[in-house]
């Protein structure tokens, strides 16, 4: 069996593949459905299937992890993703693809839950932020590379699905080299046998840590799903928009590790407040200079440098706030928060654009970041008694 260091990088590899499959499916299926004459509204609803899968599966993952350990859970999630990707070429049907998309959401959430909990439970406290920053970095890297598979449509429509399934299979196979471990279960009875009681306590102790993943999901889905529509309405060329949007994710790759290390040194709370403040400034300038292509590119990149790391910073903060026995519940809630943000972001910003056509949609992002800043500032650090009660 492999060493702990090698295990860490195998888990990171699985996270990268998960981000790759998600990043591929969003534009790939949108293009295929658009070419088949599916309306934009149905196309948008279809895209929510992934996040619906994440939400409906999340409450049922904690007990299998406690019973079987990390490895079987991660293997089952990866297998579901690979199987679903392989089935896309079998039958081109809107509802069949919706189900497959939802199954990938379930598989990805199982895989994320297992890898995320394993990393957070075994990371050293003095380097926890950096370890989880690698998690966020490689997920973002996979998500950034995934859309490149859309270029393969010109060769064959089925090729992206087949190739991504094969790549996923190769990385998934390395998991068989890892020795299984069980999650922390000391004092579990102190939280009751009900998962919902542990969820409630996790929310009570760490609610503020679930806001950054929610915000990251909101941003990611909004900037990819609504900004192109808004950008065309204010007169930007489609080709230029496709150049502006990736600058957010690309810039976030540069700051994940430095921000994770800084959060280890100075504390998660102060770093989250700092990046949110800088994010507010970046998107305020985006609203002021939204008619300028260069201005938007610069503000998207600056925004990505700071708030592009909110997901991994939120997970690190959650790990600080919760005792080890509640980490599985906390990781589930982080995933659910991200999904809720991903679903609500395009919906709420779409309504905002329709109701306030003369107001920049970037102000919705600024308002959300302001709420996160205020909530984080008001949150007091948990006492040792609270974390061990």
């Amino acid at each position: 069996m492999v060493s702990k260091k090698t295990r860490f990088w195998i888990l990171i590899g699985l996270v990268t593949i998960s981000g790759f499959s998600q990043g591929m499916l969003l534009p790939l299926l949108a293009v295929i459905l658009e070419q088949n004459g599916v309306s934009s509204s149905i196309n948008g609803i279809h895209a929510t299937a992934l996040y619906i899968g994440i939400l409906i599966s999340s409450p049922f993952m904690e007990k299998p992890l406690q019973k079987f350990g990390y490895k079987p859970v991660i293997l089952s999630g990866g297998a579901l993703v690979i199987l679903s990707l392989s089935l896309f070429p079998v039958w081109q049907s809107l509802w069949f693809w919706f189900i497959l998309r939802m199954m990938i959401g379930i598989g990805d959430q199982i895989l994320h839950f297992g890898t995320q909990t394993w990393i957070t439970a075994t990371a050293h406290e003095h380097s926890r932020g950096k370890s989880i920053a690698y998690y966020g970095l490689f997920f973002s890297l996979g998500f950034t590379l995934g859309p490149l598979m859309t270029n393969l449509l010109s060769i064959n429509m089925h090729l992206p699905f087949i190739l991504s399934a094969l790549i996923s299979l190769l990385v998934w196979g390395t998991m068989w080299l890892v020795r299984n471990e069980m999650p922390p279960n000391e004092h579990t009875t102190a939280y009751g046998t009900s998962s919902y009681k542990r969820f409630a306590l996790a929310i009570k102790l760490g609610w503020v840590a679930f806001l950054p993943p929610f915000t990251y999901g909101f941003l990611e889905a909004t900037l990819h799903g609504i900004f192109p529509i808004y950008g065309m309405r204010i007169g930007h060329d489609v080709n230029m928009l496709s150049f502006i949007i990736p600058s957010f994710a690309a810039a976030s790759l540069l700051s994940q590790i430095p921000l994770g290390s800084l959060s280890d040194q100075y504390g998660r709370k102060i770093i989250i407040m700092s990046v949110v403040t800088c994010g507010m400034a970046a998107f305020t300038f985006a609203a002021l200079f939204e008619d300028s292509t260069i201005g938007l590119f610069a503000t998207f990149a600056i925004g990505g440098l700071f708030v592009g790391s909110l997901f991994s910073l939120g997970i690190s903060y959650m790990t600080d706030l919760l005792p080890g026995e509640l980490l599985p519940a906390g990781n589930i809630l982080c995933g659910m928060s991200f999904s809720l943000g991903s679903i609500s972001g395009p919906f709420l910003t779409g309504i905002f654009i329709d109701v306030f056509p003369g107001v920049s949609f970037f102000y919705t992002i600024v308002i959300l970041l302001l709420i996160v800043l205020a909530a984080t500032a008001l949150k007091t650090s948990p006492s040792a008694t609270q974390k061990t009660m």
Side-chain angles (χ1 to χ4, degrees):
M1 293 295 174
V2 298
S3 65
K4 290 183 178 180
K5 185 176 181 180
T6 303
R7 181 190 69 195
F8 174 80
W9 287 108
I10 287 175
L11 295 177
I12 292 297
L14 287 165
V15 169
T16 308
I17 289 300
S18 175
F20 182 83
S21 63
Q22 290 188 32
M24 178 194 76
L25 285 178
L26 283 171
L28 180 67
L29 294 182
V31 169
I32 293 174
L33 295 178
E34 176 68 20
Q35 290 175 346
N36 290 343
V38 176
S39 68
S40 57
S41 59
I42 297 298
N43 207 326
I45 293 172
H46 204 275
T48 65
L50 183 82
Y51 305 111
I52 292 172
I54 293 174
L55 283 176
I56 63 175
S57 62
S58 293
F60 306 103
M61 293 182 184
E62 191 178 19
K63 287 186 177 179
L65 180 68
Q66 295 287 352
K67 184 177 181 180
F68 301 109
Y70 296 110
K71 182 176 177 178
V73 168
I74 294 171
L75 285 172
S76 63
L80 186 57
V81 171
I82 295 167
L83 177 63
S84 300
L85 286 171
S86 303
L87 290 175
F88 272 96
V90 172
W91 184 26
Q92 188 175 343
S93 163
L94 190 65
W95 289 108
F96 181 63
W97 280 11
F98 184 91
I99 293 171
L100 291 180
R101 214 172 195 176
M102 189 164 61
M103 297 302 289
I104 288 177
I106 294 172
D108 268 336
Q109 176 62 356
I110 294 172
L111 191 152
H112 271 289
F113 171 59
T115 55
Q116 190 174 294
T117 306
W118 207 345
I119 291 172
T120 55
T122 56
H124 295 294
E125 187 173 351
H126 67 276
S127 61
R128 181 179 294 151
K130 186 176 181 180
S131 296
I132 298 173
Y134 276 110
Y135 178 97
L137 169 65
F138 280 89
F139 176 81
S140 297
L141 179 62
F143 197 90
T144 303
L145 295 175
L148 297 176
M149 300 292 281
T150 306
N151 296 323
L152 299 179
L153 286 174
S154 59
I155 301 174
N156 186 285
M157 187 184 75
H158 299 154
L159 185 57
F161 301 108
I162 296 171
L163 189 57
S164 62
L166 289 174
I167 295 172
S168 300
L169 180 62
L170 289 174
V171 178
W172 176 81
T174 61
M175 191 63 202
W176 290 97
L177 303 175
V178 176
R179 187 187 304 277
N180 187 31
E181 288 185 5
M182 304 301 291
N185 58 5
E186 301 91 344
H187 314 300
T188 300
T189 54
Y191 305 100
T193 57
S194 169
S195 293
Y196 294 101
K197 289 182 180 179
R198 289 193 289 277
F199 288 154
L201 186 55
I203 292 172
K204 179 181 178 181
L205 294 177
W207 60 270
V208 71
F210 305 131
L211 294 179
F214 175 91
T215 305
Y216 181 77
F218 188 102
L219 281 168
E220 185 183 83
T222 299
L223 295 180
H224 283 81
I226 295 298
F227 174 69
I229 299 172
Y230 179 76
M232 288 187 290
R233 288 188 181 183
I234 62 175
H236 287 288
D237 179 71
V238 175
N239 292 328
M240 292 309 300
L241 293 176
S242 65
F243 176 69
I244 293 169
I245 294 171
S247 65
F248 179 86
S252 73
L253 299 177
L254 302 176
S255 60
Q256 293 272 359
I257 304 303
L259 287 174
S261 299
L262 287 172
S263 73
D264 286 329
Q265 184 175 356
Y266 297 105
R268 242 65 73 179
K269 180 175 178 177
I270 187 66
I271 297 301
I272 289 175
M273 291 175 62
S274 299
V275 299
V276 167
T277 301
C278 293
M280 288 171 58
F283 286 108
T284 299
F285 279 109
L288 297 175
F289 298 103
E290 62 183 14
D291 293 330
S292 167
T293 300
I294 296 175
L296 283 177
F297 178 82
T299 52
F300 267 55
I302 294 170
L305 278 173
F306 294 103
V307 294
S309 299
L310 279 178
F311 185 76
S312 55
L313 287 172
I315 295 173
S316 302
Y317 196 21
M318 176 274 298
T319 309
D320 293 341
L321 296 176
L322 300 185
E325 306 80 48
L326 289 179
L327 286 182
N331 280 290
I332 288 173
L333 289 168
C334 281
M336 294 178 70
S337 299
F338 170 79
S339 299
L340 288 171
S342 300
I343 293 172
S344 62
F347 175 72
L348 294 176
T349 51
I351 292 176
F352 183 89
I353 290 173
D354 290 337
V355 176
F356 304 104
V359 181
S360 175
F361 107 109
F362 289 112
Y363 288 123
T364 60
I365 296 174
V366 174
I367 292 170
L368 175 60
L369 292 174
L370 179 61
I371 294 171
V372 175
L373 176 64
T376 307
L378 293 173
K379 173 65 177 178
T380 56
S381 300
S383 64
T385 303
Q386 284 179 307
K387 287 197 69 175
T388 58
M389 62 182 293

